[in-house]
Amino acid sequence: EGIGYRQARSMELSAMREWRGCRDEALALDKAARGEANPAQYRASAVMLESCESALGPGVAGLALEERMRAFALAVQNHLKAGDPVAARRALDTFKTGFADRDLFYADGTSFIETMTVLVGLTDGQTPRDLLLVNVGSKLRAEIRRVRQWAHN
């Protein structure tokens, strides 16, 4: 029984070590993308972050949850920065499914899921009043109002 536990724990640690190595490569791509404002590198980083997560087996799904959520959230954002809202929507759906009933919060207290939902356009048809009920930043809310005003006037 003790040997089986040690073996399973060793496999978990090995899987997380591989995941962190993969994540670190993707973060290096993200850093390069930010330095050059290169959409292709943002896309490559996003795809790599998604593949890091998908390479993890179900046996380690509960390990380093917060760390993995942050990495996958970066994948969603990088798809958006790469100019691919369809891939960002798909990644956001995967995030919601993979990390059910969990959310991340930005430094200003706004919700990652709600902010990304607004940005990728999953809430089309919302009225300006509905936008007040969503936990997004005031700058984003003001920009959405501005875009809507110019679209209708």
Side-chain angles (χ1 to χ4, degrees), residues 65-136:
L65 206 53
E66 182 86 10
E67 184 179 3
R68 290 178 30 234
M69 286 173 64
R70 289 181 185 276
F72 207 85
L74 182 60
V76 176
Q77 288 179 315
N78 283 353
H79 277 302
L80 206 54
K81 290 177 184 177
D84 192 351
V86 174
R89 278 186 205 111
R90 180 187 42 76
L92 182 59
D93 287 341
T94 303
F95 181 93
K96 289 178 185 178
T97 303
F99 304 108
D101 300 325
R102 294 184 169 269
D103 196 358
L104 294 171
F105 295 92
Y106 293 109
D108 65 355
T110 57
S111 163
F112 165 76
I113 289 177
E114 291 182 11
T115 299
M116 288 298 119
T117 299
V118 168
L119 286 174
V120 299
L122 293 177
T123 55
D124 287 343
Q126 271 192 334
T127 66
R129 184 176 292 163
D130 294 334
L131 195 56
L132 292 172
L133 301 174
V134 185
N135 186 8
V136 298

